[in-house]
Amino acid sequence: MPGGKPSQEMLDLLNQAIAREMQVAIQYMWQHVLWRGVKGFAVKDELKAIAIAEMKHAEAIAERLNYLGGIPTTKPTTINVGNTLKEMIEQDKKDEEGAIVLYKQIIAQARTEKDEVTDLLFQKILTDEEEHHDVFTTLLEEI
Ligand SMILES: [Fe+2]
Ligand SMILES: [Fe+2]
């Protein structure tokens, strides 16, 4: 590794991120499938678009982890689809909050290790997660 070896902590953080991205990709996809009612109709396309964005995040992080010498996990963290639309979007908002906290931690760790590319990658992903968080927060006001 020309820029120096990543710490085990960094590799573990990236795998935590991948596990979460796979979780929400599947969670939002099933919510997109299981929607019901007029309000569900209004949010289903957004859930689909965000599910696809999360899958792309998982792949981008896995590519970075692979380059850094880690092995990407295949196990998502616990998927919580929810029973009602309100339950679903409340859970999704919480998961975006968790992602934001974790990704700020990864950015801080990347800066400690002078890993500019991981830093930049997570700045981009963090921008998306804040957008998702904003979408779910706004939707919750109407559900
Ligand atoms: Fe994501
Ligand atoms: Fe997200």
Side-chain angles (χ1 to χ4, degrees):
M1 196 65 44
K5 243 173 105 70
S7 67
Q8 188 58 47
E9 189 186 351
M10 177 57 94
L11 301 179
D12 291 346
L13 285 168
L14 293 179
N15 254 331
Q16 281 179 44
I18 291 166
R20 292 189 71 107
E21 293 291 353
M22 289 192 293
Q23 175 215 330
V24 292
I26 298 165
Q27 186 170 304
Y28 302 164
M29 179 167 59
W30 286 165
Q31 290 171 344
H32 161 71
V33 169
L34 295 168
W35 69 275
R36 276 180 195 84
V38 174
K39 285 174 178 172
F41 182 81
V43 305
K44 68 181 173 60
D45 291 348
E46 193 67 39
L47 286 167
K48 182 177 184 175
I50 299 179
I52 292 167
E54 308 298 16
M55 200 198 81
K56 289 179 179 168
H57 291 166
E59 188 180 29
I61 301 165
E63 280 172 349
R64 184 67 192 152
L65 178 62
N66 180 57
Y67 176 74
L68 292 175
I71 298 164
T73 181
T74 56
K75 293 190 178 63
T77 41
T78 307
I79 297 160
N80 296 301
V81 175
N83 292 309
T84 64
L85 189 62
K86 190 166 194 289
E87 265 179 34
M88 290 179 184
I89 306 299
E90 275 173 354
Q91 182 62 46
D92 299 350
K93 181 171 176 258
K94 249 185 252 167
D95 286 323
E96 295 295 334
E97 283 162 6
I100 289 166
V101 171
L102 178 62
Y103 297 171
K104 282 178 187 278
Q105 193 189 338
I106 291 175
I107 290 168
Q109 186 66 32
R111 289 180 185 177
T112 312
E113 300 186 22
K114 301 198 187 323
D115 178 350
E116 295 86 355
V117 176
T118 301
D119 181 356
L120 186 64
L121 173 65
F122 276 87
Q123 285 184 55
K124 284 190 205 146
I125 296 177
L126 180 60
T127 308
D128 292 344
E129 309 306 9
E130 286 195 355
E131 265 180 45
H132 302 163
H133 182 255
D134 187 41
V135 168
F136 292 136
T137 304
T138 308
L139 289 175
L140 266 183
E141 290 166 7
E142 298 288 328
I143 293 171

